[in-house]
Amino acid sequence: MKKIALQACMALALMTMSVHALAQDSEKPAVGPDMLYAPLVYDNYSAEAAHNKPAKAGNGLYALDAGDGWLQDAMDNAGRTRAIRQRAMIDNPQLVAYNANRLPEAPPEGVIAGDPRQGMLTIAPAQVVVEDVTPPDAPVVPIHNWLHVFNASLQFTQAYISGNWYQGGENNLALLASINWNCNLNQDVHPNWLFNNALSYKLGVSTTHGDSIRKYLINEDNFLFTSQLGYKAVKNWYYSAMLQFTTQFLNNYKVNTRTMTAAFLSPAELNLGLGMTYSYKKADDRMFTLAIAPISYNLKYCRNITDIDPTRFGIDAGHHTKSAIGSNFEAKWLWRFTPNVMLTSRLYMFTNYQYVQGDWENTLDLSIGKYLTTQLFTHLRFDRSRARDDDWNYWQFKEILSLGIIYRFATVN
C-alpha cells in the first residue's frame, strides 16, 4: 500500500510540474483537474501529443454564428490534458497501473438504496426471478412404416378407340369411375428395402346409339395390380422381384352382335420377374422407377374359350393358357409441374425373343380446386403375339378425355 501511495504521489507531482510549465508557456489558463488527475490508464499513443505542444485550432476550423472563443479554450485544454498524461506515462511507465485491455471488472448490477439517517448509499444484489420456462411435452410424432396414397374419381369422358383394340369398344361419350391405391414401404424408416404396391381399377360405361341390342356398353374395364420387392445393392439400385397381374370383371360385346369380346379372367395376364430396380425421388414433385428383369415369366389366360376367341389375346385357338419365358422392363415416372398440373407415365414391355408386347400409358391431370379435375389419358399398345390388323398393323390406341370430381387421401412421413 505504501508503494502504491508513493507512486501516486510521484505521478501527481510530475503532472503538477508539467501543468505549471505548460501554463507558463501558454496564454491560456491551466488545465482543469477533472481529467488531468485521473489514474493513468494507457489506451493509445500519440507522438504529436507526447512530444509537441498542442497546437491551437486554426481560424475557420469550426465556423459558428457567435464567438467561438469558448470552443477554442476547451479544445486547447483537452489537447494539453492529453499531452501531459501521455508525457507522464512515457517518462514513468512504472506508474501506469492499467491499460485499456486490463481494467478491473465493473461492479455487478444491483439496486441502489439510500439511508438518510446515516447518509449512506448501499448497493444490494438485484433479485433475479427465474420464470418457469419448462417446455410442454413435445407431441409424439407417429412413425409410419407404410405410406398410403388413395384417390377415387367419377368423370365424364369422351373416348376414341381404334377398331382393333384387344378388348373391343367404340367411340363414345361416357362415365368413367377409377380407383387408385398405392401402399409403399417408408424408405426413411427402412432405407435398405424397397417394397412398392399399386392397385388400380377403371370402369367406363357409355350409352350407345349404334347398338340396337344393348343400351350401354363397357368401354373400359381394367384391373391392374403391381408389386416390387427389393433390397439395396448400391445407391439407388436394388435387387428386386416383380409381379404384375391384370384382368377385367364385366362382360363386353361387339356392337350390334352377341359376340363376346371380353369377360372376367378373359383375358388375364400374370408376369413375374427377377432383376434390378432403380428408384429416384425428389420430394413429391419428381419420382422415377425403372425395373429390369432379365429373367421373366409371362402367363396369359382366357377362362371362357367357348364364347370368346382366345387368339385375340395371343393364345392359341382351343387353349386356355399360353406361357413364355423372356425378359421385361417397366418404367414409371411422375412429374408435378405445378401444384395443379401433374403428368404420370408408365411404359411396360415383355419379349420372349419371338414376339414383343408393350404398353405405354400417360395421364395428364389438371386439378380445378380441391375436388374437380380434368384428365387426358392415352394408352398405346403394341402386340405381335396376335394377328396383324389391316389398318393398325400390330398397334392399338385408346384416348380418354374426362372432366369430373375426385377425392384424394395420403399418409405423410
Side-chain angles (χ1 to χ4, degrees):
M1 294 292 293
K2 292 181 178 180
K3 183 178 180 180
I4 296 176
L6 180 61
Q7 291 176 345
C9 292
M10 292 174 63
L12 180 60
L14 288 171
M15 288 188 289
T16 303
M17 294 172 61
S18 300
V19 169
H20 290 305
L22 288 172
Q24 293 175 358
D25 296 338
S26 175
E27 299 177 356
K28 302 297 179 182
V31 180
D34 51 351
M35 286 297 297
L36 183 60
Y37 297 105
L40 294 177
V41 177
Y42 176 78
D43 58 353
N44 61 65
Y45 173 76
S46 174
E48 180 181 1
H51 295 285
N52 300 321
K53 294 182 179 180
K56 297 182 181 180
N59 294 331
L61 180 62
Y62 296 96
L64 301 177
D65 294 338
D68 61 351
W70 61 271
L71 178 59
Q72 296 296 332
D73 293 343
M75 293 175 63
D76 290 345
N77 290 339
R80 280 193 285 279
T81 299
R82 288 193 301 272
I84 293 170
R85 292 175 62 84
Q86 289 277 348
R87 185 73 262 171
M89 284 187 284
I90 292 171
D91 294 341
N92 302 277
Q94 72 278 5
L95 300 180
V96 180
Y98 305 106
N99 60 45
N101 297 324
R102 297 179 59 186
L103 289 174
E105 293 185 3
E109 284 190 30
V111 178
I112 300 176
D115 188 350
R117 292 173 299 179
Q118 298 183 4
M120 296 179 62
L121 295 177
T122 60
I123 301 177
Q127 299 295 325
V128 179
V129 179
V130 180
E131 299 181 359
D132 184 9
V133 292
T134 304
D137 294 337
V140 178
V141 179
I143 297 176
H144 298 286
N145 290 309
W146 297 94
L147 302 179
H148 301 268
V149 177
F150 174 85
N151 63 72
S153 64
L154 177 64
Q155 299 173 313
F156 299 95
T157 67
Q158 171 271 325
Y160 171 80
I161 303 174
S162 63
N164 67 330
W165 184 253
Y166 76 112
Q167 289 180 330
E170 66 175 1
N171 304 339
N172 56 79
L173 295 174
L175 289 176
L176 175 66
S178 65
I179 295 175
N180 294 277
W181 173 60
N182 291 272
C183 180
N184 302 329
L185 189 67
N186 189 346
Q187 290 189 281
D188 292 335
V189 181
H190 307 279
N192 292 326
W193 287 94
L194 176 73
F195 195 7
N196 296 335
N197 302 278
L199 182 150
S200 66
Y201 179 63
K202 292 182 180 180
L203 176 62
V205 181
S206 64
T207 58
T208 175
H209 303 286
D211 194 334
S212 59
I213 301 177
R214 284 162 291 275
K215 295 182 179 180
Y216 65 90
L217 287 176
I218 305 298
N219 64 359
E220 179 75 14
D221 185 8
N222 186 38
F223 173 85
L224 175 64
F225 174 75
T226 61
S227 180
Q228 291 180 333
L229 175 63
Y231 184 78
K232 178 169 284 189
V234 57
K235 292 186 178 180
N236 294 331
W237 285 95
Y238 298 81
Y239 303 108
S240 61
M242 292 150 279
L243 179 147
Q244 175 179 288
F245 176 76
T246 180
T247 187
Q248 73 173 56
F249 292 115
L250 303 179
N251 297 339
N252 203 2
Y253 299 88
K254 197 172 183 179
V255 179
N256 281 324
T257 69
R258 299 192 182 276
T259 302
M260 187 178 293
T261 58
F264 177 61
L265 295 178
S266 301
E269 189 169 345
L270 173 68
N271 192 281
L272 301 173
L274 294 174
M276 299 285 291
T277 296
Y278 175 84
S279 178
Y280 170 81
K281 179 179 180 181
K282 183 179 180 181
D284 292 328
D285 297 333
R286 298 181 188 180
M287 290 181 284
F288 174 75
T289 60
L290 173 64
I292 304 173
I295 302 175
S296 179
Y297 171 76
N298 180 267
L299 174 65
K300 295 180 179 180
Y301 176 70
C302 181
R303 182 182 62 89
N304 186 348
I305 62 173
T306 303
D307 302 319
I308 301 175
D309 180 10
T311 61
R312 291 175 55 87
F313 317 122
I315 302 174
D316 297 335
H319 291 77
H320 289 279
T321 63
K322 183 176 183 179
S323 59
I325 301 293
S327 302
N328 76 67
F329 86 91
E330 181 184 49
K332 294 181 180 179
W333 58 92
L334 178 150
W335 191 350
R336 190 182 299 276
F337 301 97
T338 69
N340 297 326
V341 181
M342 180 178 66
L343 173 67
T344 57
S345 186
R346 172 180 175 267
L347 177 62
Y348 170 81
M349 294 191 68
F350 171 81
T351 179
N352 67 345
Y353 309 109
Q354 295 180 351
Y355 68 86
V356 177
Q357 173 186 324
D359 293 271
W360 187 21
E361 303 174 36
N362 295 277
T363 301
L364 181 62
D365 191 326
L366 295 88
S367 299
I368 306 172
K370 187 175 181 180
Y371 297 107
L372 295 179
T373 181
T374 297
Q375 288 185 347
L376 175 63
F377 172 75
T378 62
H379 188 170
L380 182 64
R381 181 181 174 89
F382 181 84
D383 189 357
R384 292 203 61 172
S385 65
R386 55 166 293 167
R388 180 179 178 275
D389 183 79
D390 294 336
D391 296 328
W392 286 85
N393 205 340
Y394 297 105
W395 294 93
Q396 303 170 45
F397 180 72
K398 175 186 289 189
E399 173 264 325
I400 300 175
L401 176 64
S402 59
L403 172 66
I405 58 176
I406 189 169
Y407 170 77
R408 294 185 176 95
F409 168 81
T411 301
V412 296
N413 286 343

